[in-house]
Each structure stands twice: as structure tokens, then as C-alpha cells.
Amino acid sequence: MHKSITELIKLHETTFSNVDRQIAQFILSHQTDIASMSINALANQAFVSTSSVLRFTQKLGFLGYSDFKYSVNWQNATTVMTQVTDPNQLGAALAGLLNSLDDDDVHATLTHIHAAHRIFVLATGLNQQYQARDLQQHFLQLGINMILLPATTGSELNNQVAETVSNQDLLIIFSSSGENVVVRDFLKIPLLVKVPIIAFTNNTENWLAAHANFVYTMDYLPMDSQFFPYFSGFFHIFIDYLDTRYRLVYKK
């Protein structure tokens, strides 16, 4: 059984520095608020640095802040999951996802995927990595290779890719918060040379969404929605949708 954030903090508290204890105290007092907080917002309100927050989440065993935030939000959502007992509610939410899509953006996304010389995919957080691998597998079956990049700061492969990409390539980024340090560092050079970027993120109010050419989010649902536990699944369904649309356009 997965440990709660409270249990994880208690398990690791003997290894905490004074700054860690300050972060832990803030998190324990604001667990229901974290759904709408970026790493910068949490750091500012806890009066610590973003790097301290990142190290703290890694001490708890998470890959980074996005992974930590998803776990907190999942735990918060379990208290209301029993409200979603009617499959019609889920069906309506899925219909809302497809209705929220801009058809021109979807067409342009598929055009970029079809025409790109090379496609690189960066995913931060465990669920985002599952989504990225799902996208990779779908399009590999369609004859399109997507190269998955490691979600680590200072990766030699990421550095090489960032320094050699051109506007004929394509970057696809999966980041729940859209504020991940790995993503920001990786995109510094690609943004300068105007490499097309497709973003999968939870909302449009973040750094990644502001810098991507095409953004796919769950904005049509509130972040404190009872459907939050299904967000990852909704993204997988959207990937299925992209696959189907691509086949209709390019595999007739």
C-alpha cells in the first residue's frame, strides 16, 4: 500500500535539515492547496528556494516536484472519488476533453509530427513518462520514430540534442506543472532557434504552456476536480485520438 505524504515525511524526518523541516511543516498545513501551486509558489510561501523544495521532494523518494504534486493531489482526490459513481459522469468528462480541442491545432500538431526530421520527447514525472512511452509506441506503429530523453538535469544526451535541434525538428514535452527545472534548462537553446514545441500539461497557466506552440491541457476541468485521479488516463485517451486522426489523414 502506498504511503501518504504525511507518512513519508514522518519516515524521513530524522534526515531533515532545518530547511527541510520548514518545507515539511508548510506542506502538512497546506496539502489541499498544493493542487494549484507551482514549485515557485510553494517555495515563495514557505520562504525557501525552489532548489530546496526540489531536493526535499527527492528525499521523500519522488523524481521531482511534479511527481510529488501528483501524489499529493491523488491523495486529496481519493476523498471525493466516491462521488464519481455514475459512468455517465466520466463519459461526459471525456466528451468534454474532445470538445475542448481546437481542430486546427490538432491538424497542425499532426502535420508537425508527420513532417519533422526528428522528434524528441521529454517527460517529467512518472505518469508523464508513461504517457510519453504510450505516444512513442502508438506512432512507432505508424512508422514514426520518437526519441525519449532522460528527465535529468545535466544529461549529456539532452545537452547534445538541445545544441543540435533545428526548426525542422519537433519537441514534445510532458510536464504536469509546466514549471520543471529540467524542462526550462533543456528548452533554453531550442527556444532561441524556434524549434516547434508541443506541450502536454495540466493547465495553461504555467511556463511551459506560455512557450509552447501547441498546448494540450485539462483546463476544461478545475484542478481540484473530482476527476483529477483520471487526468493521466484522459491524456492516454487523447493519445489514442491523435493516433486515430493521424491514420485518417496520412494512412488512407
Side-chain angles (χ1 to χ4, degrees), residues 1-250:
M1 186 176 185
H2 294 294
K3 289 182 170 60
S4 69
I5 296 301
T6 302
E7 291 171 330
L8 285 173
I9 287 175
K10 186 173 181 60
L11 181 65
H12 293 88
E13 62 183 357
T14 56
T15 67
F16 288 171
S17 65
N18 289 336
V19 172
D20 290 332
R21 293 189 181 91
Q22 186 172 332
I23 297 170
Q25 184 176 6
F26 179 85
I27 288 171
L28 292 174
S29 301
H30 299 83
Q31 288 193 51
T32 58
D33 300 325
I34 291 176
S36 59
M37 296 178 70
S38 67
I39 188 172
N40 290 329
L42 192 155
N44 288 337
Q45 293 190 39
F47 302 103
V48 297
S49 67
T50 55
S51 58
S52 293
V53 175
L54 179 61
R55 285 193 295 270
F56 177 81
T57 61
Q58 291 171 338
K59 278 187 180 181
L60 296 184
F62 297 101
L63 294 174
Y65 183 73
S66 295
D67 212 23
F68 160 77
K69 180 175 170 179
Y70 188 91
S71 181
V72 173
N73 291 340
W74 178 276
Q75 291 173 33
N76 291 341
T78 57
T79 62
V80 295
M81 280 182 69
T82 55
Q83 298 173 21
V84 189
T85 56
D86 185 353
N88 291 328
Q89 289 180 283
L90 278 177
L94 290 172
L97 167 63
L98 298 180
N99 289 334
S100 71
L101 300 175
D102 184 295
D103 196 63
D104 289 340
D105 283 352
V106 171
H107 181 75
T109 295
L110 296 176
T111 300
H112 277 289
I113 290 174
H114 183 72
H117 288 183
R118 299 177 299 172
I119 302 175
F120 299 99
V121 184
L122 177 63
T124 62
L126 188 59
N127 283 286
Q128 288 68 40
Q129 290 172 12
Y130 289 148
Q131 294 159 15
R133 283 195 287 270
D134 190 21
L135 180 72
Q136 181 194 42
Q137 290 302 313
H138 271 279
F139 279 88
L140 186 60
Q141 294 175 24
L142 297 171
I144 294 177
N145 185 36
M146 297 182 177
I147 302 170
L148 297 185
L149 301 175
T152 54
T153 301
S155 162
E156 185 60 32
L157 175 59
N158 289 9
N159 291 339
Q160 290 178 4
V161 169
E163 291 170 2
T164 60
V165 287
S166 75
N167 57 14
Q168 301 301 308
D169 298 315
L170 177 65
L171 300 177
I172 301 177
I173 311 294
F174 289 82
S175 174
S176 176
S177 71
E179 303 286 348
N180 192 281
V181 175
V182 174
V183 171
R184 285 174 177 257
D185 288 346
F186 174 68
L187 290 180
K188 285 178 181 177
I189 297 177
L191 285 171
L192 292 176
V193 297
K194 300 186 183 305
V195 181
I197 299 170
I198 298 171
F200 292 84
T201 184
N202 277 354
N203 63 79
T204 54
E205 301 299 319
N206 60 54
W207 184 90
L208 174 61
H211 291 82
N213 299 85
F214 305 100
V215 184
Y216 297 101
T217 77
M218 294 292 120
D219 258 356
Y220 77 100
L221 292 173
M223 281 301 294
D224 59 351
S225 166
Q226 60 184 326
F227 295 106
F228 184 85
Y230 305 97
F231 277 18
S232 182
F234 285 7
F235 276 121
H236 285 287
I237 289 172
F238 175 59
I239 289 168
D240 290 341
Y241 175 74
L242 286 180
D243 178 315
T244 301
R245 285 288 301 270
Y246 188 90
R247 291 174 188 273
L248 290 173
V249 175
Y250 295 106

